[in-house]
Amino acid sequence: MTSTTSIAPAASTASAASAASVAETANLTIEKVGGRIGAVISGVRLGGDLDEATVAAIRAAILEHKVVFFRDQQHLDAESHEAFGRLLGEPVAHPTVPSVDGRYAFGIDNDHGGRANQWHSDVTFVPAYPAFSILRAEVVPPYGGNTLWADTATAYARLPGPLKALADSLRAEHTNDYDYAAARPHAGSAELERHRKVFTSTKFRTEHPVVRVHPETGERTLVLGNFVQKLVGLHSGDSRAIIGVLQSHIERPENTVRWQWRAGDVAIWDNRATQHYGVDDSDDHERTLRRVTIDGDVPVGVDGRHSLLLAPESAPEPVHGA
Ligand SMILES: [Fe+2]
C-alpha cells in the first residue's frame, strides 16, 4: 500500500487540518514508493526558477525519503539541470573525470564504462563527498538499466546493539584506486585504460568514520560501499568480513527501492544517507544519464572525529561554485 502526502509549499508548518484543505490546491504531491525509502514527487516542473518554499519542500522530502523521483522533466537541459541544482547547494565537478559540458555535469553513458553496478555512495574517496546527486535520464534502454538505492540510515538504525557499537568505533579507508579489473571482469581494454588514465588520474585515499552523524537530520548513517578498501587497524581478512556483515544489512531488500527509468525522469538522492547500484542488464542499448552533484561537508563520526584526507598530500580542489 502506498501513502500519499500533499504538501503546500508555503504551508509546511500548517496543522494537519489546514494541510488537508491546502492539499486540494497543492501543486506538490509526494507518494511513497517503498516503506523505508523512495518517493515520487509530482506537480512540479524542475528548473532554476522554483520559489523558495517549493525548494524547501523538495529538500525536506529528500531528507525524509532519501531518494525522490520526478517524471516528465524532458524540458530540462544541461543549463536548467545545473540551475535547479544550485537551489539545493553548490554544484561540484567530479574530482578526476572531466565534465561532459565543460561545467559540472558528470556523464553516465554505457559506452564509456559508465556502469556503476556495485553498491556505492558517490565520490566517497574524498573527505567532503557530495551531499546530493541529481540524475537526469536523457536516453533509456528498452529494458533493464534500472537503478537501486539503499537507505544507510535505516540500515544503521536496525542493526542489533552490539553491531551498532562495533560500527560506531570503526573507521575505514576509501579510495578511487580500487581493483577495477577485478570488479569488472568483462571490461574491455579501452574501458580499463580509461579508468586508469582518467578515473584514477589522481589517486585519493580518505579515512571516514564508518558511522557518520548526518549534518542536517542528525541521523547516524553507515559510510561504506565499493570505494572502501579496508578498516583502519584491522588486517584485510577481518576488514573484509566485518565490511561484508555491515554491507549486507545495507543491501537488505527492505532497505532498498528500485527505479525503472523513463526518458525525462529525474532522481535526487541524499548521498550521505544512501548507496546506489546501477543494474548492468540492458545489453548494448544506449543509456545516457547526466548527473549534477551538490557539494557536501566533511563527515563527523559519533565520537566527533572528522574524516581525513590521507592522499594525495595536497588534493587539487575540485571545481565548484560559480
Ligand atoms: Fe554513482
Side-chain angles (χ1 to χ4, degrees):
M1 201 172 93
T2 59
S3 77
T4 303
T5 322
S6 290
I7 290 184
S12 56
T13 56
S15 69
S18 62
S21 64
V22 174
E24 290 166 21
T25 54
N27 59 2
L28 200 143
T29 302
I30 301 170
E31 188 174 0
K32 285 181 76 160
V33 180
R36 297 183 190 168
I37 176 172
V40 174
I41 300 182
S42 51
V44 61
R45 181 183 160 91
L46 298 179
D49 56 352
L50 290 180
D51 62 86
E52 230 174 84
T54 302
V55 174
I58 292 172
R59 189 183 191 97
I62 301 167
L63 295 177
E64 179 180 350
H65 300 288
K66 313 303 190 225
V67 56
V68 297
F69 307 102
F70 302 80
R71 293 285 197 193
D72 302 320
Q73 306 293 323
Q74 288 89 339
H75 60 278
L76 286 176
D77 57 12
E79 203 178 320
S80 51
H81 184 175
E82 182 187 315
F84 167 69
R86 282 178 190 285
L87 300 176
L88 293 176
E90 211 170 313
V92 59
H94 192 278
T96 56
V97 180
S99 75
V100 289
D101 63 353
R103 292 181 63 80
Y104 306 104
F106 182 78
I108 297 170
D109 308 318
N110 57 359
D111 58 341
H112 288 110
R115 297 181 168 103
N117 61 337
Q118 295 181 78
W119 285 104
H120 66 286
S121 306
D122 288 329
V123 200
T124 60
F125 47 86
V126 300
Y129 61 86
F132 301 111
S133 290
I134 307 166
L135 189 57
R136 175 171 61 89
E138 286 190 344
V139 181
V140 300
Y143 54 82
N146 297 176
T147 303
L148 286 82
W149 286 263
D151 181 338
T152 57
T154 295
Y156 176 85
R158 288 177 174 262
L159 285 178
L163 279 183
K164 274 186 186 160
L166 173 63
D168 285 347
S169 71
L170 295 170
R171 291 172 72 89
E173 239 181 81
H174 295 230
T175 181
N176 57 336
D177 190 25
Y178 61 98
D179 190 347
Y180 188 76
R184 297 200 50 78
H186 303 297
S189 55
E191 187 180 330
L192 292 174
E193 184 63 5
R194 180 179 185 273
H195 182 84
R196 192 181 65 77
K197 276 196 171 161
V198 178
F199 194 75
T200 61
S201 55
T202 302
K203 296 181 191 334
F204 288 94
R205 284 195 302 124
T206 293
E207 183 184 307
H208 288 299
V210 167
V211 180
R212 77 177 285 188
V213 180
H214 193 289
E216 294 189 71
T217 65
E219 288 179 307
R220 294 182 179 190
T221 66
L222 290 166
V223 186
L224 291 169
N226 80 315
F227 297 121
V228 173
Q229 194 168 46
K230 62 178 181 184
L231 295 171
V232 175
L234 300 185
H235 70 60
S236 59
D238 287 346
S239 269
R240 273 197 303 275
I242 293 171
I243 290 166
V245 167
L246 296 173
Q247 184 65 31
S248 73
H249 283 267
I250 294 170
E251 295 171 18
R252 285 180 65 88
E254 291 81 359
N255 291 338
T256 70
V257 65
R258 181 173 182 134
W259 189 250
Q260 187 168 9
W261 293 97
R262 287 188 216 147
D265 285 357
V266 170
I268 309 177
W269 61 94
D270 184 342
N271 194 51
R272 302 158 297 185
T274 54
Q275 288 184 11
H276 55 282
Y277 183 113
V279 182
D280 181 10
D281 64 346
S282 49
D283 299 321
D284 291 326
H285 292 289
E286 187 181 353
R287 180 179 184 271
T288 302
L289 300 102
R290 293 286 177 264
R291 187 182 86 200
V292 171
T293 49
I294 303 302
D295 216 2
D297 49 7
V298 177
V300 183
V302 299
D303 57 1
R305 287 172 65 206
H306 288 77
S307 301
L308 287 173
L309 179 71
L310 305 174
E313 254 178 40
S314 66
E317 263 294 298
V319 182
H320 63 279

